[in-house]
Each structure stands twice: as C-alpha cells, then as structure tokens.
Amino acid sequence: MIDSAVADQADSDQPTRRALFSAGVIGAALAMAGSRSASAAANGLSEGDAALVGFAISLELTARDLYDAAIAAGATGQVWSVLREQHESYAQRLAGIAGIPGDIRNDEIFDALVSGFKGATRSAAFEFENVAAATHTELLGVVTDGAAAKSIASIIAIESRHATLLAELAGMADNYDALFHNTATALSPEA
Amino acid sequence: MNRFPNPSLGRRQLLRNGGMVLSMGAIVAACGTNRGGSTNPGRLGVADEATPLQQDPINDVVLLRTAQSLEYTVLAIYDSVSAMGELSSAESALAGRFVVDHTRHAATIGSLISAQGGAEFQCSNPFLVDRAVTPILAALDGSDDVHRDLLNIAHAFESLASAAYQDAVGSLTDLSLRKEMMRIGGEENRHATALASAINPDAVFSPAMFGEPLSSDADGFPIPYPIPATFGLLKGIDLVVGARDVEGSRFAIQLQTPAQNTYVYENQSC
C-alpha cells in the first residue's frame, strides 16, 4: 500500500500539464479522433461530432487506465476504485451515443501521467480531473449533437465534483482557488 | 291485450336489430374523418372568445436572463444566511468565497446577455423567491437548529444552480453559450461538493451509485453527498428545514430546475 500523504510530497516531480502538451499529446488525440470518424456516423452524428466524441471517449478510457494503474501500484481506498468506474461509465455512455467502440485510450496522455497515478498521489488525480472537465467544457462549444452535448455536460458536472473532492483529500481544503476554480488548460483535438 | 301490435318484433329480433345498428355505427365511425371534435372546454353564455395568452419565445436570451436571476437569488440567500450570524468563521469564509464566485458569474452572464442583444436581469428570480425562498426562510422561524438549516439551504441552492446550468445546455442554441454555462455550472458543482463535505463528512459517494436505496437521516433530513451520482443529476432537489410541527413534520420543498414558470422572459423587468 502506498501512503498517499507521503506520495503527495512527490507531486512536484510529476509531469505538469504544460509538459504534457509539449510532449505532443494533442496531435495524438487528433489522430485518434480522426481514426474513429469513419465508423462513427451509425448513430446519426456528423463526422465532426463523431471525431470529437471519440476524442472524449479516449480521454475517459485514459482516465480509467490511470486509476487502474494507481490501484495496481497499491493505492487503496474507495475513491480510486469508484472514480475508475465513473470514467469507464463516461466512456461507455459516450460510446453508446456515438456508436463508436469505447476501447481505445490515448497512450501519450497515459504515458505522461501514469507515474503520478502510480504514486497514488491525489493531487495528480485532481489535476487530471480538472483537465478532463476543462476539455469536455471546450468540447461543448463545438459538438453540435444535442444528446452528446447533454451527456458531456452531465460528465462535466461530476468531474468537477471529483476535482473538488480530490483537492480536499489532497490537503487543499483551505485553498479555495484549487477547490472551486478550474484553471486547467483543455486538451484540444484540433491542435 | 297484446301490448306489442307487431308480433314479428320479439325480444330476439330486437336484440338482433340492435346489434346490427351498433355494428353499422362502428363501421361508419371507423370510416369517418375529422372525428376528434373540439378539445376546448365547454362554454356557457355568449361572451366573446377569450384572447389566448401571448406565449413569449424561450430563446437564448431568456435562458441567460434566467441563469442570471438564479445567481442573484443565490446571492440573496447568502445575504440572509450571513445576516443570521449562525455560521462558524470557517463557514463564513466559505460563504464569502461563494458570494465572490456568484457575483462574478452574474457579471459574466450579464456580458453574455448583452452580447446577444438582450437586457440584463440583475435581480432574484421572482418565481423562485415567491414559491421557494420566502417560505423556506420563513420556516426557519422557531427552528430547532438554524445552523443546520442554513447549511442545507446553501447546499440545496448550489445544487439547484448546478442542475440548472446543466439543463440549459440542452436548450441553448448557441454552442459557445453551452460552454460558458457549464464553465459556471462546474463551479456551482464544486460549491455543492464542499458544502456536502461540510454537512456530511462521513460519506463521499451516494449509496445510489451502488444500487442502494437513498434514505434520510434519523431526523428526516436528506443526506447530501459530495459525489451524488455517476452523471450530473437533473431531478428535483429535496430540502427540509425548520422545527417539527404538531404533527411531527418539518417544512419540506422540492426545488426544480427552471421551466416555463421560472424563466425570465424578455418582457420582464426587475
């Protein structure tokens, strides 16, 4: 078992979001989204929407696998297993709407963040939840399908809550900016 | 004396003919068109036909004005909560932060309204105030635990705002507004999470997420959870406040996301 309180001290060593972007994550996300679009129109989504929803699915599957990595590394506690399930549910919901198989994670995002999760650092998970919420929020500005937009909104609602919960668990309960204001930069499938 | 002069019309014949009439009626009815008739209620007298009420359009400006009115409603609630002097210093600091956030949200929405060519609505939602806020605050009179009630009220209205923004995504036509609404909605969810943690520090996840039934606490109050569901909820938000009455009940209300009666239409002013 990894002591999260101790592990959190190593947070400064984890890759930052800026580093994540510089690692070329965005391009990979775009490639992944594009690879899904050809099979996507089955549920009536436009190709553009299908690519965007495919991007969101890959992000959620990446989240699932990051939580799995934390659990495999010895993270204990309900929060890890439940959040893992939450993200898998989001991928499944979006896959159902888009008619896209929900089975491809984004390896580059995963590789960039997995060490933080293997350390079972709640602040690593907190940062990821903020990035996920910010990314989905940006998607709402471009996804035209109403059902997909409503599902994405319902995911943003709870991922925002995840972030606040994880901030509290990571010892940031007095840091109101961390608790209530999401300053994360969204991942973009268009970069 | 024979009371039936036509001897051929016996009981058996009568039943047979009656059945034929019913059958013919069914056939004629099935072949007919425009069989619906008027659905208007019956009228008495000779007064003029009533003028139908004008149905104001529900457009993006109306949805934004409604969202802005929600922000002012929540701000008014925090004013009332703070004025009662029941919050701890930590809770007061938290409420103070929420006031800052809601003030910023109201201003942001105001800018969005102006950009859409609409007029801001810088006051509380009239319907919510009449039907919810006023009776809720009145129910605090004589409460057995005002502090408990104030936290529950704050949580309920933050949850309502959370749900309202999520709900608006399905109605807004301008995609950029959907994004802006959920940017604010995400923050409302964060507020609700912190309040749920403060009220109920013993549990994080709602039992409903594991297929278990939801229940109230021993005193009949809904139990808030920092993570209430897998997906954002749009259902009514139960709020219970005040002391028990002579029948053992407390004041209870269900807050609903804005609908036709709650919208702030373009012809409304403060």
Side-chain angles (χ1 to χ4, degrees):
Chain A
M1 172 185 164
I2 294 170
D3 184 336
S4 296
V6 173
D8 277 347
Q9 294 175 1
D11 282 354
S12 59
D13 297 331
Q14 304 308 322
T16 63
R17 287 191 304 281
R18 202 172 297 278
L20 188 64
F21 284 108
S22 65
V25 166
I26 297 168
L30 176 61
M32 180 168 294
S35 71
R36 293 167 176 275
S37 60
S39 61
N43 283 12
L45 265 64
S46 67
E47 277 203 19
D49 276 356
L52 294 166
V53 174
F55 172 65
I57 293 169
S58 71
L59 185 62
E60 293 302 335
L61 293 173
T62 305
R64 176 201 64 188
D65 289 354
L66 287 168
Y67 281 100
D68 269 343
I71 294 165
T76 58
Q78 191 184 32
V79 68
W80 297 99
S81 58
V82 173
L83 295 196
R84 183 252 182 237
E85 296 295 318
Q86 298 273 89
H87 288 288
E88 185 171 68
S89 296
Y90 302 152
Q92 289 170 346
R93 167 74 64 89
L94 294 173
I97 288 171
I100 297 173
D103 57 359
I104 304 174
R105 80 172 182 210
N106 187 312
D107 284 336
E108 291 198 45
I109 298 175
F110 179 84
D111 292 343
L113 296 177
V114 70
S115 62
F117 275 80
K118 281 183 175 173
T121 58
R122 287 159 176 165
S123 53
F126 158 74
E127 287 227 357
F128 182 85
E129 295 290 349
N130 271 339
V131 170
T135 302
H136 290 313
T137 302
E138 286 300 317
L139 287 177
L140 276 185
V142 285
V143 169
T144 60
D145 182 76
K150 284 193 271 190
S151 282
I152 290 170
S154 74
I155 293 168
I156 294 167
I158 302 299
E159 286 183 341
S160 299
R161 286 174 175 264
H162 291 171
T164 297
L165 170 68
L166 287 162
E168 290 177 340
L169 295 175
M172 294 184 271
D174 295 330
N175 183 346
Y176 290 164
D177 286 337
L179 289 175
F180 305 125
H181 193 50
N182 186 1
T183 56
T185 305
L187 299 173
S188 169
E190 297 171 351
Chain B
M1 176 181 169
N2 184 2
R3 297 174 61 190
F4 298 99
N6 182 352
S8 65
L9 190 62
R11 199 171 55 241
R12 202 178 299 274
Q13 187 64 33
L14 192 62
L15 287 171
R16 188 180 303 136
N17 290 348
M20 187 177 299
V21 168
L22 286 174
S23 302
M24 289 300 291
I27 291 168
V28 169
C31 295
T33 58
N34 192 22
R35 288 173 284 115
S38 171
T39 57
N40 293 333
R43 298 181 68 239
L44 293 174
V46 292
D48 293 339
E49 288 281 348
T51 305
L53 287 174
Q54 182 181 343
Q55 186 64 48
D56 292 317
I58 300 166
N59 52 30
D60 286 357
V61 169
V62 169
L63 297 171
L64 289 170
R65 281 163 56 87
T66 306
Q68 192 178 35
S69 76
L70 271 182
E71 295 293 343
Y72 280 104
T73 304
V74 177
L75 283 168
I77 286 171
Y78 280 117
D79 269 352
S80 300
V81 166
S82 298
M84 291 185 191
E86 293 282 339
L87 299 183
S88 68
S89 59
E91 291 162 352
S92 292
L94 197 61
R97 168 61 188 237
F98 293 165
V99 166
V100 170
D101 287 347
H102 287 296
T103 303
R104 175 169 45 83
H105 296 165
T108 300
I109 296 168
S111 299
L112 296 172
I113 293 169
S114 299
Q116 294 281 322
E120 293 192 46
F121 191 83
Q122 296 176 326
C123 44
S124 298
N125 186 285
F127 185 89
L128 262 182
V129 169
D130 286 348
R131 306 299 178 92
V133 177
T134 300
I136 288 167
L137 295 178
L140 299 185
D141 190 25
S143 172
D144 51 338
D145 190 342
V146 174
H147 174 257
R148 169 205 65 204
D149 290 339
L150 295 180
L151 290 180
N152 283 334
I153 290 168
H155 175 262
F157 277 89
E158 293 287 358
S159 300
L160 173 65
S162 304
Y165 283 105
Q166 182 185 327
D167 196 33
V169 167
S171 304
L172 288 164
T173 57
D174 185 328
L175 300 189
S176 66
L177 294 177
R178 293 178 178 176
K179 179 176 69 173
E180 295 305 325
M181 289 296 96
M182 276 316 291
R183 205 185 301 283
I184 296 172
E187 292 194 8
E188 314 291 31
N189 273 284
R190 290 166 194 258
H191 292 175
T193 302
L195 284 164
S197 293
I199 297 167
N200 176 25
D202 299 326
V204 170
F205 301 106
S206 167
M209 294 170 63
F210 313 108
E212 298 166 14
L214 278 176
S215 57
S216 301
D217 70 12
D219 289 323
F221 293 95
I223 303 171
Y225 295 94
I227 310 295
T230 298
F231 295 91
L233 297 172
L234 295 177
K235 68 182 184 68
I237 295 144
D238 293 317
L239 174 63
V240 177
V241 296
R244 292 187 187 279
D245 61 19
V246 291
E247 295 174 343
S249 301
R250 301 180 192 270
F251 175 86
I253 191 169
Q254 189 175 67
L255 304 176
Q256 302 282 352
T257 54
Q260 271 79 354
N261 51 8
T262 332
Y263 288 144
V264 178
Y265 296 94
E266 288 187 88
N267 60 6
Q268 281 180 262
S269 56
C270 288

